[in-house]
């Protein structure tokens, strides 16, 4: 490697061409991993693009859902094509899928199970599928990490970069790693919701009248029943005789890891998995928007200082002076029936609103570090060297503040998750049929001290777990990039980030 | 910049902040996709009523001609700044907003007062205790508890606590009944506190007892924050040079802890305590809804979902005023207690 002589700037492509073997090995592994889940990836991509296209079309035409054919033929065509892509993705083979490892079946009179994976009881078939999904996910992440190690040991020109220190500190940061693991579990729950849930959301809630369940009745005959009726009869309604608790089977041979819901029944785990998807969607989009605004203003105010800083201070103080929670309530009322509120039953609207309301906190968090870096000699050098202001900000200042954005970003996603579920709890957040954790808490409110305690209890515990994990991850990143930082300094912004009023 | 001119600068900055944040509210209320008159009128389709509403909130003039938006904006801002808060249309038709606020505010203030107090009295001692005994079992228990406690959503904690208290007699087999614990209370003891004649000790006891569960929930995240920050602050102060000096010159441990550690460790807690007020305003909506407390948060929520937008706007103005005054109070406290602040 090029440690003895001065680095000449060889592009990464040429460095790989000079020693292709490790890179090729890694790429082959990546392709194999992706091929295993090809169908799921293509269909998820199709869904995401479809949503995106509908939003763009809606923004131009202001029509509900953007796919009304009368108003816009071309737009409808695009959306239909993307829908086709999604369907095509569903038809592609996917190794870790519900079809390959089914958990739905009926008991046989001999005591075995018919229709489930290898004749296992549904609980084990389901657990096996979930285990494989998470094993896949963690292996995939490890493979990415392995790719980074390969890059460092074979292709990076510098012997040491500051990032190595960050990585070294993170490797012994158990609290941050705990957070990371839980966050990965949460992301997996949302990302692979159709696969990890015991039953699809379509069958469980959207169209339960179009699906049938086979089960073994008391006289030893195999009967069929509509999913809707089975859900109703296995709902948890407080008294022990009509209750299906966590980790138990209902009368129709279906396994419910978190028990069932109250009315009109249905599997709580499925609800939680698809609800995680919505929370993740809102949290990530909101973070993306506010992170972008915060980074933009952070660089701008640190580079130009003076009046630009004062202007952003006034604007961000004004937004922060209004309690976020109240403003979101107001916005959700004002936008009732607006086309933006139809995507994801309000999910997109909330993502945008939180994105536009949370940047002041993030900007406050990066303002100090951005000022510090703008005082460094290398920024001054770049400026006197004649480098453009935008290039200076992007190349010499942005990398330094990205870490700080990550710290407060992870705290804020926690705050957003709590706020959205609090709004849904109050009945003005995400409306049915799209699931949201807060709504499960509201549904189970009357059953807390009864046999059906799980309906309200489990969603709350999961929120606590995910928010704690996001805080832990934020702590980990902070200790990683800035071990001297005093957490006392950031107390106020942390308080504002974590609570938000939910 | 001296610290007092820093403080003066913050004070002056509050004016454009107030104006700008109310402009945001104006944009949402008047320029948003919803027509404010339709929101109030709802399904009632009487043209005369519509006209009356539109005239009252300043959308049309006396002759029925529409008022241009910029004039509406100036009228809106002028009314707020002169505390002419208008009337409620849906929640309590014809009542002036100031009257509504005056009748609802005491419960919210009572709730806020106790939640700040509970959080302070539990969070800070626990945090300081953990900081003075770092890396012991009790430190880990307290720290971990604080982290979990902080992450609990208010709405969830609220329903769990209220359900447990209501059913306390059945759950403990009659050994503990929250409803008649210490003083007898109606409604299972988790309803709104009666705030009549607090000079009578029994009424006072009832009012305090009934507010405690709600205050505990509302103060939960602040309690966790105060604990965490308090612990870090104590740890930092304990290792500082002046504490070492104090120890070297032979001061008794009690004096060191109370005079040198405790007082200095309170400084980083100031923004946490003032930030609490901010959480309280947002959180009061949820907590008042769960514990059926008819306060300002519930009033705002009802006004918003029932389309009483003028009332919601006026309430928002009051909340912004409270937030800004607390921010100024925080700067003032900082200016007094920490001479290092202000060279920003």
């Amino acid at each position: 490697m090029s440690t003895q002589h001065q680095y000449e700037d060889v592009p990464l492509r040429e460095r790989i061409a000079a020693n292709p073997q490790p890179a090729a090995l890694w790429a082959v592994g990546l392709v194999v991993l992706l091929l295993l889940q090809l169908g799921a990836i293509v269909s998820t991509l199709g869904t995401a693009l479809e949503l995106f296209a509908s939003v763009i079309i809606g923004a131009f035409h202001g029509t509900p859902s953007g796919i009304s054919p009368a108003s816009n033929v071309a737009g409808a065509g695009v959306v239909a094509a993307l829908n086709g892509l999604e369907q095509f993705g569903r038809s592609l083979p996917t190794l870790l899928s519900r079809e390959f490892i089914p958990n739905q079946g009926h008991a046989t009179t001999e005591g075995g199970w018919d229709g489930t994976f290898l004749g296992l009881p549904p609980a084990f078939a389901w657990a096996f599928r979930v285990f494989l999904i998470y094993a896949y996910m963690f292996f995939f992440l490890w493979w990415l990490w392995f790719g980074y190690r390969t890059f460092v040991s074979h292709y990076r020109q510098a012997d040491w970069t500051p990032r190595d220190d960050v990585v070294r500190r993170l490797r012994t940061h158990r609290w941050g790693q705990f957070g990371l693991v839980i966050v990965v579990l949460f992301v997996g729950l949302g990302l692979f919701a159709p696969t990890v849930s015991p039953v699809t959301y379509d069958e469980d809630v959207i169209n339960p009248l179009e699906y049938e369940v086979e089960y073994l009745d008391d006289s030893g005959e195999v009967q069929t029943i509509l999913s809707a009726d089975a859900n109703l009869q296995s709902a948890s309604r407080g008294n022990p005789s009509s209750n299906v608790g966590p980790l138990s089977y209902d009368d129709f041979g279906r396994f419910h890891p978190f028990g069932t819901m109250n009315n009109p029944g249905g599997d709580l785990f499925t609800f939680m998995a698809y609800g995680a998807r919505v929370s993740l969607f809102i949290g990530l989009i909101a973070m993306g928007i506010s992170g972008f605004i915060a980074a933009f203003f952070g660089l701008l105010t640190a580079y130009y200082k003076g009046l630009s800083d004062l202007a952003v201070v006034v604007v961000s103080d004004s937004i922060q002076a209004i309690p976020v929670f109240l403003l979101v309530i107001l916005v959700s009322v004002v936008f009732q029936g607006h086309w933006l509120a139809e995507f994801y039953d309000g999910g997109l609207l909330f993502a945008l609103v939180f994105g536009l309301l949370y940047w002041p906190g993030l900007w406050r968090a990066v303002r100090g570090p951005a000022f510090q870096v703008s005082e460094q000699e290398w920024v001054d050098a770049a400026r006197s060297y004649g480098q453009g202001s935008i290039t200076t900000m992007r190349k010499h200042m942005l990398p330094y503040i990205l870490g700080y954005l990550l710290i407060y970003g992870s705290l804020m996603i926690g705050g957003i998750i709590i706020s959205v579920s609090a709004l849904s709890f109050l009945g003005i957040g995400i409306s049915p049929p799209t699931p949201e954790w807060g709504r499960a808490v509201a549904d189970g409110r009357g059953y807390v001290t009864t046999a059906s305690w799980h309906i309200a209890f489990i969603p709350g515990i999961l929120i606590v777990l995910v928010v704690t994990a996001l805080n832990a991850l934020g702590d980990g990143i902070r200790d990683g990039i800035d071990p001297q930082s005093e957490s006392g300094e950031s107390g106020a912004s942390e308080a504002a980030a974590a609570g938000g009023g939910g | 910049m001296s610290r007092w001119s820093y403080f003066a600068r913050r004070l002056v900055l509050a004016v454009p902040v107030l104006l700008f944040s109310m402009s945001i509210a104006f944009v949402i209320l008047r320029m948003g996709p919803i027509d404010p008159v339709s929101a109030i009128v709802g399904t009632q389709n009487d043209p005369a009523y519509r006209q009356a509403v539109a005239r009252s909130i300043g959308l049309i003039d006396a002759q029925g001609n529409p008022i241009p938006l910029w004039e509406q904006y100036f009228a809106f801002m002028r009314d707020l700044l002169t505390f002419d808060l208008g009337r409620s249309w849906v929640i309590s038709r014809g009542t002036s907003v100031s009257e509504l606020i005056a009748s609802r505010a005491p419960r919210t203030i009572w709730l806020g007062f106790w939640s700040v107090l509970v959080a302070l009295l539990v969070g800070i001692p626990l945090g300081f205790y953990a900081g003075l005994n770092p890396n012991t079992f009790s430190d880990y228990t307290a720290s971990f508890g604080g982290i979990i406690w902080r992450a609990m959503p208010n709405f969830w904690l609220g329903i769990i606590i209220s359900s447990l208290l209501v059913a306390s007699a059945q759950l403990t087999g009659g050994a503990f009944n929250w409803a008649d614990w210490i003083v007898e209370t109606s409604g299972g003891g988790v309803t709104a506190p009666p705030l009549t004649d607090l000079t009578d000790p029994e009424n006072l006891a009832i009012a305090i007892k009934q507010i405690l569960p709600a205050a505990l929930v509302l103060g939960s995240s602040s309690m966790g924050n105060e604990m965490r920050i308090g612990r870090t602050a104590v740890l930092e102060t304990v290792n500082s040079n002046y504490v070492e000096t104090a120890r070297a010159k032979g001061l008794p441990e009690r004096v060191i802890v109370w005079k040198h550690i405790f007082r200095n460790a309170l400084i980083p807690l100031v923004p946490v305590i003032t930030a609490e007020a901010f959480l309280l305003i947002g959180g009061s909506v949820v907590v008042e809804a769960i514990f059926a407390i008819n306060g300002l948060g519930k009033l705002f929520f009802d006004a918003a979902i029932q389309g009483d937008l003028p009332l919601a706007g006026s309430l928002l103005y009051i909340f912004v005023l409270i937030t800004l005054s607390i921010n100024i109070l925080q700067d003032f406290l900082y200016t007094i207690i920490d001479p290092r602040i202000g060279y920003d």
Side-chain angles (χ1 to χ4, degrees), chain B residues 215-298:
Chain B
L216 188 72
V217 171
L218 190 53
S220 62
S221 66
S222 317
M223 200 189 292
N225 279 327
E226 277 156 22
M227 217 214 83
R228 247 167 80 93
I229 310 285
R231 176 179 180 274
T232 337
V234 167
L235 273 179
E236 265 162 31
T237 331
V238 164
N239 295 324
S240 60
N241 294 335
Y242 56 83
V243 171
E244 207 170 319
T245 312
R247 202 161 275 148
K249 71 181 184 185
L251 277 185
E253 194 62 26
R254 190 172 43 83
V255 179
I256 294 178
V257 167
W258 287 105
K259 195 170 171 203
H260 294 282
I261 296 178
F262 187 80
R263 278 169 53 177
N264 283 301
L266 279 176
I267 294 175
L269 280 165
V270 170
V272 185
I273 296 166
T274 46
E276 204 181 331
F278 195 72
L279 298 180
L280 295 185
I281 293 174
S284 67
V285 174
V286 173
V287 172
E288 287 181 7
I290 290 174
F291 289 92
I293 296 170
N294 225 347
L296 288 180
K298 187 139 189 337

Side-chain angles (χ1 to χ4, degrees), chain A residues 153-204:
Chain A
S153 55
H154 291 281
Y155 302 112
R156 196 170 71 183
Q157 287 177 313
D159 263 350
W160 177 89
T161 66
R163 196 174 293 126
D164 287 0
D165 271 0
V166 175
V167 169
R168 184 176 49 79
R169 283 190 286 260
L170 283 179
R171 286 183 88 159
T172 53
H173 201 285
R174 292 281 171 258
W175 177 234
Q177 287 165 0
F178 158 79
L180 184 66
V181 169
I182 302 285
V183 168
V184 169
L185 290 178
F186 170 68
V187 171
L189 188 67
L191 206 58
F192 293 100
T195 319
V196 292
S197 49
V199 56
T200 61
Y201 198 65
D202 192 47
E203 173 175 349
D204 206 37

Side-chain angles (χ1 to χ4, degrees), chain A residues 310-322 364, chain B residues 9-25 77 317 320-321 323-325 327-328:
Chain A
L310 190 70
V312 181
V313 165
V314 169
V315 174
S316 77
D317 274 8
S318 310
I319 294 178
Q320 284 194 311
I322 312 174
R364 286 261 168 212
Chain B
R9 200 179 88 133
R10 300 283 306 169
L11 208 58
V12 172
L13 261 186
V15 177
V17 166
L18 178 66
L19 295 180
F20 195 77
S21 55
M22 286 330 288
S23 308
I24 297 175
M77 298 300 270
Y317 174 67
V320 169
L321 273 186
T323 320
L324 284 179
S325 348
N327 280 347
I328 290 172

Side-chain angles (χ1 to χ4, degrees), chain A residues 146-401:
Chain A
F146 176 71
Y148 173 72
R149 302 296 313 167
T150 310
F151 166 76
V152 168
S153 55
H154 291 281
Y155 302 112
R156 196 170 71 183
Q157 287 177 313
D159 263 350
W160 177 89
T161 66
R163 196 174 293 126
D164 287 0
D165 271 0
V166 175
V167 169
R168 184 176 49 79
R169 283 190 286 260
L170 283 179
R171 286 183 88 159
T172 53
H173 201 285
R174 292 281 171 258
W175 177 234
Q177 287 165 0
F178 158 79
L180 184 66
V181 169
I182 302 285
V183 168
V184 169
L185 290 178
F186 170 68
V187 171
L189 188 67
L191 206 58
F192 293 100
T195 319
V196 292
S197 49
V199 56
T200 61
Y201 198 65
D202 192 47
E203 173 175 349
D204 206 37
V205 176
I206 312 271
N207 294 312
L209 287 168
E210 291 172 15
Y211 291 85
E212 283 182 337
V213 180
E214 287 187 333
Y215 69 102
L216 191 73
D217 70 359
D218 296 334
S219 58
E221 306 270 317
V222 174
Q223 305 277 351
T224 57
I225 184 173
L226 285 177
S227 284
D229 293 334
N231 283 348
L232 265 180
Q233 289 173 36
S234 58
S236 297
R237 294 212 177 79
N239 53 25
S241 61
S242 60
N243 180 52
V244 179
L247 293 178
S248 58
Y249 287 90
D250 62 13
D251 293 342
F252 308 98
R254 300 183 300 175
F255 178 67
H256 298 287
F258 285 170
T260 59
M261 300 192 55
N262 55 338
N263 198 22
D267 183 58
L268 182 59
F269 190 92
T270 307
F271 189 92
M272 298 302 291
Y274 283 79
R277 205 167 231 216
V278 178
S279 302
L280 205 60
F281 172 84
I282 296 177
L284 288 182
I285 294 211
M287 267 321 303
I289 295 173
S290 50
F292 181 81
I293 301 178
F296 178 77
F297 280 144
L299 293 175
L300 205 71
T301 54
Y303 191 84
Y304 291 110
K305 305 189 174 72
L307 203 61
S308 68
D309 187 47
L310 190 70
V312 181
V313 165
V314 169
V315 174
S316 77
D317 274 8
S318 310
I319 294 178
Q320 284 194 311
I322 312 174
V324 181
F325 197 69
L326 303 189
L327 203 56
V328 176
I329 291 178
L330 210 56
V331 169
S332 75
V333 168
V334 167
F335 275 82
Q336 247 164 25
H338 191 257
W339 63 269
L340 254 181
E342 305 212 347
F343 293 102
Y344 241 172
D345 291 311
L348 183 69
L349 177 68
F350 282 115
L352 295 178
V353 171
F354 279 112
L356 293 179
L357 293 182
Y358 267 70
W359 68 264
L362 271 181
W363 173 72
R364 286 261 168 212
V366 298
R367 184 171 170 247
F371 265 121
Q372 267 172 22
V373 73
S374 72
E375 301 285 318
Q376 299 287 347
E377 293 114 8
W378 66 78
V379 173
D380 209 21
R383 200 179 293 163
S384 43
Y385 193 68
Q387 200 168 43
S389 52
I390 294 173
T391 324
T392 310
M393 288 186 222
R394 191 169 49 84
K395 288 184 89 163
H396 301 296
M397 292 165 65
L398 184 63
Y400 188 72
I401 66 168

Side-chain angles (χ1 to χ4, degrees), chain B residues 35-217:
Chain B
D35 164 28
V37 178
S38 304
I40 291 174
V41 176
T43 50
Q44 212 174 332
N45 222 345
D46 175 14
Y49 182 50
R50 283 189 77 96
Q51 287 242 322
V53 172
R55 199 173 301 128
S56 151
I57 58 181
L59 296 185
I60 55 173
D61 60 16
Q63 282 76 45
N65 305 314
I67 297 176
L69 205 58
W70 62 270
E71 274 182 34
Q72 286 184 34
Y73 174 71
F74 283 116
F76 177 85
M77 298 300 270
R78 189 191 56 230
D79 284 353
L80 288 184
L81 293 177
T82 54
F83 285 93
D84 178 2
L85 300 178
R87 299 187 170 280
S88 157
W89 279 94
V90 185
I91 301 294
S92 161
R93 185 182 299 175
T95 322
S96 79
V97 172
S98 342
E99 249 175 76
L100 269 178
I101 292 177
S103 73
R104 303 283 191 108
R107 295 193 197 93
T108 302
I109 293 172
W110 188 245
L111 172 65
F113 170 74
W114 281 98
S115 68
V116 171
L117 206 65
V118 168
L120 284 181
L121 291 182
V122 180
I124 294 185
L126 263 185
F128 280 12
Y129 176 77
L132 289 173
N133 305 282
N135 301 325
T136 56
F137 178 71
S138 42
D139 171 33
Y140 290 139
T141 319
S143 301
F144 190 70
I147 287 166
I148 298 287
W149 189 244
R150 194 170 76 118
M152 282 189 192
N154 283 344
F155 68 93
W156 180 71
L157 194 61
I159 65 156
I160 299 284
I161 288 187
S162 66
S163 306
L164 289 180
L165 288 181
V166 167
S168 56
Q170 301 154 353
L171 289 176
T172 56
F176 174 77
N177 187 356
W178 171 256
D180 1 302
W181 185 61
I182 299 185
V183 278
E184 198 150 329
T185 44
S186 58
V190 284
T191 50
L195 291 180
T196 45
D197 189 22
L198 289 181
T199 47
D200 177 37
E202 196 186 333
N203 281 352
L204 185 68
I206 292 176
I208 293 176
K209 179 185 156 182
Q210 300 233 32
I211 208 68
L212 275 184
L216 188 72
V217 171

